[in-house]
């Protein structure tokens, strides 16, 4: 599912998550570069889900919209500034480290091409081509497949 992002869509996504008993919201960003590669981050080995390659992502704070959280999390984790949020690519659910039912909402995002990745929570990053994108979880692989269909 890919859909333009507006207030109605964001409200519908949160309502559906609540109806499904989701207690924690997370946002993820598919950030392509000019060559069509996607930014992936590598989780520190001793962290929850350590060693996993993932999209820039993180939790939604109280009072924050999904798009505000996406902009903040990308900046916090990568030092990149989101200049535009393109479309909604779908979600996946998982249990957080604390056992909460969590839903990650995924969106395309554009950043300044001249910005440099500056990691704060991960130990590596990769501008991944299609083959390198296979290193992610099945859930993220599905989100990337949706992104490729729209590109």
């Amino acid at each position: 599912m890919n859909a333009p992002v507006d207030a109605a869509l964001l409200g519908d996504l949160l309502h559906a998550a609540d109806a499904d008993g989701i207690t924690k919201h997370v946002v993820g960003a598919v950030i392509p570069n000019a060559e069509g590669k996607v930014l992936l981050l590598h989780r520190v080995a001793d962290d929850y889900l350590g060693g996993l390659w993932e999209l820039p992502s993180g939790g939604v704070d109280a009072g924050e919209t999904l798009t505000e959280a996406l902009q903040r999390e990308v900046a916090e984790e990568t030092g990149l500034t989101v200049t535009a949020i393109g479309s909604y690519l779908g979600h996946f659910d998982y249990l957080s480290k604390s056992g909460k039912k969590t839903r990650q909402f995924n969106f395309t995002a554009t950043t300044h091409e001249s910005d440099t990745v500056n990691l704060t929570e991960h130990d590596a990053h990769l501008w991944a081509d299609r083959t390198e994108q296979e290193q992610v979880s099945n859930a993220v692989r599905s989100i990337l497949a949706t992104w490729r269909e729209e590109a």
Side-chain angles (χ1 to χ4, degrees), residues 37-81:
K37 295 180 179 182
V38 172
L39 180 60
L40 298 179
L41 306 179
H42 189 258
R43 294 185 73 88
V44 177
D46 62 357
D47 195 7
Y48 180 65
L49 301 175
L52 182 71
W53 284 96
E54 65 182 357
L55 300 172
S57 58
V60 178
D61 291 341
E64 207 173 31
T65 66
L66 295 176
T67 53
E68 289 167 344
L70 188 74
Q71 292 170 320
R72 178 185 52 76
E73 282 292 341
V74 168
E76 284 179 5
E77 290 191 349
T78 69
L80 301 176
T81 301

Side-chain angles (χ1 to χ4, degrees), residues 64-115:
E64 207 173 31
T65 66
L66 295 176
T67 53
E68 289 167 344
L70 188 74
Q71 292 170 320
R72 178 185 52 76
E73 282 292 341
V74 168
E76 284 179 5
E77 290 191 349
T78 69
L80 301 176
T81 301
V82 172
T83 57
I85 297 173
S87 60
Y88 174 65
L89 297 171
H91 69 266
F92 55 85
D93 298 341
Y94 63 96
L95 289 179
S96 71
K97 182 178 181 179
S98 62
K100 291 182 179 177
K101 289 179 71 176
T102 303
R103 178 160 294 169
Q104 180 169 317
F105 302 97
N106 299 280
F107 302 88
T108 59
T110 305
T111 60
H112 291 292
E113 282 289 326
S114 60
D115 285 355

